[in-house]
């Protein structure tokens, strides 16, 4: 599902103008992005939790050349689904 699909889905259900829905969707995602940049936890009740996790540096290997390279430390976003989301997916 893309953002455009999400906007169309909400438009069909709510009936607000598409431009307003697009602004709302963009605002929600921008707010989540800003919170994650500040390393805050984003918890959406009934859906799941987005967190930022730090990964340390490690040694990796290029599988093509077998050359050993250092993988630099980085931050990654992780998602943990809620029990409600897990159960709803299992029902289908």
């Amino acid at each position: 599902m893309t953002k455009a699909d999400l906007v169309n889905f909400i438009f069909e259900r709510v009936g607000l103008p598409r431009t307003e829905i697009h602004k709302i969707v963009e605002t929600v995602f921008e707010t989540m992005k800003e919170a994650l940049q500040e390393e805050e936890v984003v918890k959406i009740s009934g859906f799941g939790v987005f967190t930022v996790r730090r990964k340390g540096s490690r040694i990796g290997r290029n599988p093509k050349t077998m050359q050993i390279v250092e993988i630099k430390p980085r931050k990654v976003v992780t998602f943990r689904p809620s029990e409600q989301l897990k159960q709803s997916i299992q029902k289908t």
Side-chain angles (χ1 to χ4, degrees):
M1 177 176 270
T2 64
K3 275 196 238 183
D5 293 337
L6 189 59
V7 169
N8 287 331
F9 183 79
I10 295 170
F11 172 74
E12 291 170 4
R13 293 272 174 113
V14 177
L16 290 173
R18 277 191 171 94
T19 54
E20 290 298 315
I21 295 170
H22 188 287
K23 287 178 188 176
I24 292 168
V25 169
E26 285 293 329
T27 302
V28 168
F29 286 128
E30 191 63 34
T31 304
M32 289 175 63
K33 186 170 81 173
E34 289 172 6
L36 290 169
Q37 285 173 340
E38 296 293 322
E39 297 189 35
E40 294 178 30
V41 174
V42 177
K43 181 177 180 180
I44 302 171
S45 181
F47 186 71
V49 179
F50 294 89
T51 56
V52 175
R53 191 175 69 128
R54 293 177 181 268
K55 294 182 93 174
S57 65
R58 59 190 173 96
I59 301 297
R61 185 182 312 259
N62 181 333
K64 204 172 202 179
T65 64
M66 296 307 211
Q67 179 182 8
I68 295 175
V69 293
E70 178 190 356
I71 300 171
K72 298 188 189 292
R74 60 194 172 121
K75 297 179 195 174
V76 295
V77 176
T78 60
F79 174 72
R80 198 175 86 232
S82 71
E83 285 301 317
Q84 293 168 334
L85 179 60
K86 287 179 189 178
Q87 290 172 2
S88 68
I89 291 172
Q90 292 302 320
K91 289 179 184 178
T92 56

